[in-house]
Amino acid sequence: MAPSFRPARRTPEASLRRVSSPQLLAGLLAGAGAAHFLMPEPFDSIVPRALPGSPRTWTRVSGAAELALAAGIALPRTRARAACAAAAFFVAVVPANAQMAADWRDRPAPLRRAAQARVPLQIPLVLWARKVARDAAA
């Protein structure tokens, strides 16, 4: 009797490995960018008050930037430049995250800690974007 052929089972880990780092970064940026348009109020509330103009304008501009960065990273031809720009963008939003941490200092501890975590979270995002840029340029 001939041995039966059974295709390899797909594990969740194997499925995740098929998704590349640039795809994940593009997805993160696309999701965040879409959220700026679908639920703008939370983003409006963290726009630093020192910025001129309406917070909603800054929310829309940053959402559009995230969508453009996502598209650029998704395309191999523009990936390196877009990933460098994403690293700069992640640095540029630190003041908004700091504003949120300051504004939420009187919130319950779990929310306060989550807001405070947003500032150092930018470091791995910057490093991730730089790695995507380096890998795309290689």
Side-chain angles (χ1 to χ4, degrees), residues 72-110:
I73 290 169
L75 299 171
R77 188 171 58 100
T78 56
R79 182 169 295 147
R81 285 186 306 239
C84 283
F89 178 83
F90 292 139
V91 171
V93 299
V94 167
N97 292 331
Q99 182 72 57
M100 182 180 185
D103 290 346
W104 286 30
R105 66 184 169 274
D106 296 327
R107 299 261 177 122

Side-chain angles (χ1 to χ4, degrees), residues 22-23 25-31 33 64-75 78 82 86:
Q23 290 171 320
L25 183 58
L28 173 94
L29 285 160
E66 286 174 315
L67 292 171
L69 291 167
I73 290 169
L75 299 171
T78 56

Side-chain angles (χ1 to χ4, degrees), residues 3-103:
S4 64
F5 173 77
R6 289 181 47 206
R9 279 188 50 211
R10 286 188 183 163
T11 64
E13 296 82 17
S15 296
L16 184 58
R17 280 191 296 258
R18 284 196 313 270
V19 177
S20 71
S21 179
Q23 290 171 320
L24 288 172
L25 183 58
L28 173 94
L29 285 160
H36 280 67
F37 292 97
L38 298 172
M39 303 174 296
E41 293 82 9
F43 299 100
D44 293 346
S45 71
I46 66 171
V47 171
R49 292 179 264 298
L51 289 175
S54 156
R56 181 60 53 92
T57 299
W58 288 103
T59 295
R60 289 179 178 146
V61 166
S62 61
E66 286 174 315
L67 292 171
L69 291 167
I73 290 169
L75 299 171
R77 188 171 58 100
T78 56
R79 182 169 295 147
R81 285 186 306 239
C84 283
F89 178 83
F90 292 139
V91 171
V93 299
V94 167
N97 292 331
Q99 182 72 57
M100 182 180 185
D103 290 346

